[in-house]
Amino acid sequence: MAMNRPPLSFITLSFHSVLLFGVGCLCESVPGMYVLGDSLVDIGNNNYLPLALAKANLPYNGVDFPTGIATGRFSNGKNTADFLAEKVGVPSPPPYLSLPSIFGKLSSSNAMVTGVSFASGGAGILNVTEELFIQSISLTKQVGYYSLVHEQLVQQLGSDEAQAHLSKSLFVVVIGSNDLFNYFNKNSKASKEYTPQQFVDLMVSTLKGLLKRLHGLGSRKFVITGVASIGCCPAQRKDSATGDCNVEINTWSMKYNDGLKALLHELKTELSDIHYSYCETYDVLNNLVQHPETYGILEIKKACCGCGSNLKAEFPCTPISTYCSNRKNHLFWDLYHPTEHTSSLFADSIYSGSQQMTFPMNVEQLVNV
């Protein structure tokens, strides 16, 4: 008796789908994750920038990473991007600058299908952050790099399948802190050219243009974080005799976030096929600062790894630094960045946070749209 067989085209498509999307419901929902941003989610791009001042390729960074060595993450272990990738069922996206190329052009890479990280320590929405960090990959340049990845995906998968793949993928955007750090730096050129409100408005309008460009290159699902209460990091607290947060920079972080939320609402009105999850990381960090004991945190002011008697925030984490024995009870790893434990808490809020913290939906809901 002859068996009914599916047509060859169906078999080929099904096999291709397994290769492309993987096995299991999570991977089918999120075939890839593309990360744009700064040092909060950089997983090693700055290792490839010879002039970059913001690097995390030396101990004691990575002391709690599975390999036990520094990877370029500004953390004692994993960062928020790593934890979010785990939650949605994809590998941590590799650094863009680590991808193989031939004669300056990207060569075919399966890694690009499951995602790429363009994030760079010191990066900003605007290009002004290079005043502080000499060399980084600005958001504009990151989007430019993504356009090359998009081109390669179209060549690998074909136009229709590439668009289907990207429409289900997540585009994670974590940026803005360095723009504000730079503006409020005492030697800032930007503060001489713009009022704080003008500068924040410029950040918002520039970001809107870049998000629209990503949409034009297939992006449909965005995960976007606001700027946290960055005035409460050790580098900002050390300038206060009592170790208080920098109120001015926190105020303008909130004003930027207000502009960002308005931008996202406008974007959804203009481009109805966009879906997004916005996380109010300002409130997330504030909650950790105000109720640290709820999360097993004992130290909210001092860096775990660093140098100097003033909150260990005079220099970054390097081999000549000292570091705390229990990283889980510190809010901050170094003078700017959270510990691995804190990053995991951020990722929890982004992925499954309540509507007070993530709206109009969290990432767990976004993947099912």
Side-chain angles (χ1 to χ4, degrees):
M1 179 176 165
M3 296 177 63
N4 290 326
R5 296 180 179 175
L8 182 59
S9 59
F10 176 82
I11 296 172
T12 304
L13 180 60
S14 297
F15 179 66
H16 193 185
S17 297
V18 169
L19 288 177
L20 180 59
F21 299 120
V23 179
C25 61
L26 282 176
C27 292
E28 288 172 358
S29 298
V30 183
M33 190 173 102
Y34 299 85
V35 181
L36 302 98
D38 54 29
S39 56
L40 294 171
V41 286
D42 185 359
I43 60 168
N45 274 307
N46 277 24
N47 291 352
Y48 299 88
L49 300 178
L51 301 179
L53 294 182
K55 285 189 178 181
N57 58 346
L58 294 171
Y60 295 103
N61 294 296
V63 66
D64 296 312
F65 198 73
T67 59
I69 60 174
T71 60
R73 290 166 173 83
F74 294 78
S75 172
N76 56 301
K78 298 175 182 178
N79 64 27
T80 301
D82 294 307
F83 287 114
L84 190 57
E86 288 176 8
K87 287 177 181 296
V88 300
V90 296
S92 285
Y96 171 81
L97 295 182
S98 72
L99 296 178
S101 62
I102 301 173
F103 305 120
K105 290 191 174 183
L106 287 176
S107 58
S108 178
S109 170
N110 289 334
M112 282 189 290
V113 177
T114 55
V116 180
S117 174
F118 307 92
S120 169
I125 297 169
L126 308 175
N127 296 332
V128 296
T129 59
E130 292 195 355
E131 289 179 28
L132 286 179
F133 303 105
I134 309 301
Q135 190 178 28
S136 61
I137 310 170
S138 69
L139 187 59
T140 298
K141 196 165 187 178
Q142 291 181 39
V143 173
Y145 283 154
Y146 167 68
S147 71
L148 301 178
V149 168
H150 175 266
E151 182 181 302
Q152 185 62 45
L153 287 172
V154 170
Q155 289 181 17
Q156 271 184 258
L157 307 175
S159 181
D160 290 345
E161 281 201 47
Q163 182 53 50
H165 168 75
L166 292 171
S167 68
K168 294 180 180 179
S169 296
L170 297 181
F171 288 78
V172 180
V173 182
V174 179
I175 203 158
S177 299
N178 290 319
D179 298 272
L180 293 168
F181 280 138
N182 179 79
Y183 182 86
F184 289 101
N185 180 41
K186 62 182 178 181
N187 299 316
S188 168
K189 294 177 183 176
S191 63
K192 296 178 177 62
E193 294 180 32
Y194 306 100
T195 66
Q197 188 63 60
Q198 288 172 335
F199 187 76
V200 163
D201 290 345
L202 181 60
M203 288 173 64
V204 170
S205 62
T206 302
L207 179 60
K208 183 177 181 180
L210 292 170
L211 293 178
K212 290 181 82 167
R213 188 176 171 198
L214 287 171
H215 173 267
L217 293 166
S219 310
R220 294 295 181 268
K221 293 184 178 184
F222 291 93
V223 180
I224 299 181
T225 65
V227 171
S229 47
I230 56 176
C232 294
C233 70
Q236 294 293 315
R237 284 184 183 269
K238 72 177 175 60
D239 295 328
S240 163
T242 53
D244 293 333
C245 300
N246 183 324
V247 174
E248 184 180 35
I249 198 168
N250 277 351
T251 298
W252 287 100
S253 296
M254 287 190 286
K255 288 184 180 294
Y256 165 73
N257 290 343
D258 289 341
L260 174 56
K261 286 177 278 191
L263 174 166
L264 292 171
H265 182 74
E266 290 171 10
L267 210 57
K268 177 64 178 174
T269 303
E270 295 171 19
L271 303 168
S272 59
D273 58 349
I274 275 182
H275 303 282
Y276 70 88
S277 174
Y278 169 83
C279 183
E280 191 69 274
T281 46
Y282 189 101
D283 290 345
V284 176
L285 184 57
N286 254 10
N287 185 46
L288 294 174
V289 169
Q290 292 168 13
H291 307 286
E293 66 286 345
T294 305
Y295 306 92
I297 296 170
L298 302 178
E299 177 57 67
I300 64 170
K301 294 184 179 182
K302 187 187 294 185
C304 169
C305 184
C307 295
S309 58
N310 194 358
L311 303 182
K312 293 176 73 172
E314 300 297 329
F315 296 99
C317 182
T318 69
I320 63 169
S321 306
T322 58
Y323 67 95
C324 58
S325 58
N326 187 348
R327 273 74 71 187
K328 284 189 175 181
N329 66 19
H330 275 61
L331 186 61
F332 289 96
W333 165 240
D334 62 16
L335 69 172
Y336 289 111
H337 305 98
T339 57
E340 178 183 63
H341 177 57
T342 306
S343 292
S344 73
L345 297 174
F346 275 120
D348 288 344
S349 291
I350 294 168
Y351 182 72
S352 56
S354 68
Q355 276 227 313
Q356 287 181 306
M357 297 295 186
T358 54
F359 46 86
M361 66 189 85
N362 58 36
V363 171
E364 188 174 20
Q365 295 162 333
L366 179 65
V367 299
N368 294 313
V369 171

